[in-house]
Amino acid sequence: VIKEKHRNNYNLFESSISENFKTMLTMERELRKALKEGQFEVHYQPQKSLHSKEIVGFEALLRWSHPVKGYIPPDDFIPLAEKTGLIIDIGDWVLKEACRQNKAWQDKGYQPIIVSVNLSAKQFHQKNLVEKVEQILESTGLEPCYLELEITESMAMTNEESILKTMNRLRKFGVLVSIDDFGTGYSSLKYLSIFPITKLKIDKMFMDENQKQNQAIVKSIIHMSHSLNMKVIAEGVETIEQLTFLENEKCDEMQGFYYSKPLPPEQLTELFQTV
Ligand code: C2E
Ligand code: MG
Ligand code: MG
Ligand code: MG
């Protein structure tokens, strides 16, 4: 009986591995199809200045509108897109679409603001990334100062030299560079003084007021950013209490559900200022 049981467990284990594998293959095929058939969308979440109280930017967030499963959040498919390399083509599309949309808004007479696009490590390490960005800006007509690229803290830690070179070239061209999810990676602070970073994005985990130390951490990040001539934005702001704290601490900007969740482009325009 015992032997029997073990064998069944083993089979169960084995079949769940191959199930996972099949699911992955299906998803990879579906991702390729999604790109070809235009199932991806970019939604935008406004970023508000705590000084002027105006919208100063918005983050481009990828959405997969699956024909059967509905909206699939990026955390559910970006890891696989990264593993398979598909993130390069998908990322190119996001970058192009976000720049095109931002320029289209400017052409309609809205106050020019910054669009912020997430790049995964694979994208940032492309040899021709800077050329690609330049080409997209040229073809869409968007000025470089209205594009920000977000990279995560953990990525900044790897391959320091090549990252620095790419960042410097992007900054020279006029594109802004921010560090996303700041505070969640391996916290060596060395690169903050080396890399030409324009903004730190404090990770939303630090907005949790139940963790008493969080307020001290947020304060320190704000002060450090300003000392190093960087702007600082808080992510995941959901309550008036969080907002008030950030205003008191002179945080520059906020992004979060308290103000607006990410929205499809057609729902955003009522928030804009006309020039
Ligand atoms: P992220 O770049 O840190 O983006 C912020 C995430 O926090 C978004 O999740 C956003 O919807 C969510 N968020 C915003 N405000 C609040 C709030 O007040 N409370 C809470 N709980 N959450 C809030 P989303 O859109 O699901 O994206 C998840 C992650 O997927 C992003 O995290 C980013 O790392 C990645 N991602 C999204 N779009 C792209 C893309 O085009 N390319 C790449 N490489 N990664 C992307
Ligand atoms: Mg981001
Ligand atoms: Mg983030
Ligand atoms: Mg993130």
Side-chain angles (χ1 to χ4, degrees), residues 131-170:
E131 286 78 8
K132 236 180 212 179
V133 169
E134 288 180 10
Q135 194 271 321
I136 288 172
L137 288 169
E138 203 174 282
S139 69
T140 57
L142 184 72
E143 286 176 61
C145 64
Y146 297 120
L147 174 65
E148 176 180 278
L149 298 177
E150 294 188 9
I151 67 166
T152 57
E153 187 185 10
S154 45
M155 190 189 106
M157 299 306 298
T158 62
N159 219 336
E160 218 173 79
E161 207 133 303
S162 96
I163 300 253
L164 179 62
K165 227 164 129 185
T166 304
M167 272 192 192
N168 277 331
R169 289 177 64 202
L170 287 168

Side-chain angles (χ1 to χ4, degrees), residues 75 118 152 180-181 203-204 235:
D75 285 333
N118 292 283
T152 57
D180 200 2
D181 304 341
D203 192 81
K204 56 175 169 282
E235 290 194 277

Side-chain angles (χ1 to χ4, degrees), residues 59-61 116-118 150 180-181 201 235 255:
E59 179 171 7
L61 293 158
S116 194
V117 178
N118 292 283
E150 294 188 9
D180 200 2
D181 304 341
K201 303 193 71 178
E235 290 194 277
Q255 176 181 345

Side-chain angles (χ1 to χ4, degrees), residues 204-238:
K204 56 175 169 282
M205 70 170 280
F206 297 110
M207 291 304 119
D208 181 0
E209 293 135 325
N210 296 324
Q211 292 291 109
K212 263 281 158 268
Q213 313 90 309
N214 279 348
Q215 294 205 336
I217 294 173
V218 170
K219 276 189 203 183
S220 312
I221 298 176
I222 294 169
H223 292 163
M224 179 182 66
S225 303
H226 289 158
S227 314
L228 294 171
N229 277 320
M230 294 184 282
K231 283 206 172 140
V232 58
I233 181 169
E235 290 194 277
V237 180
E238 294 181 352

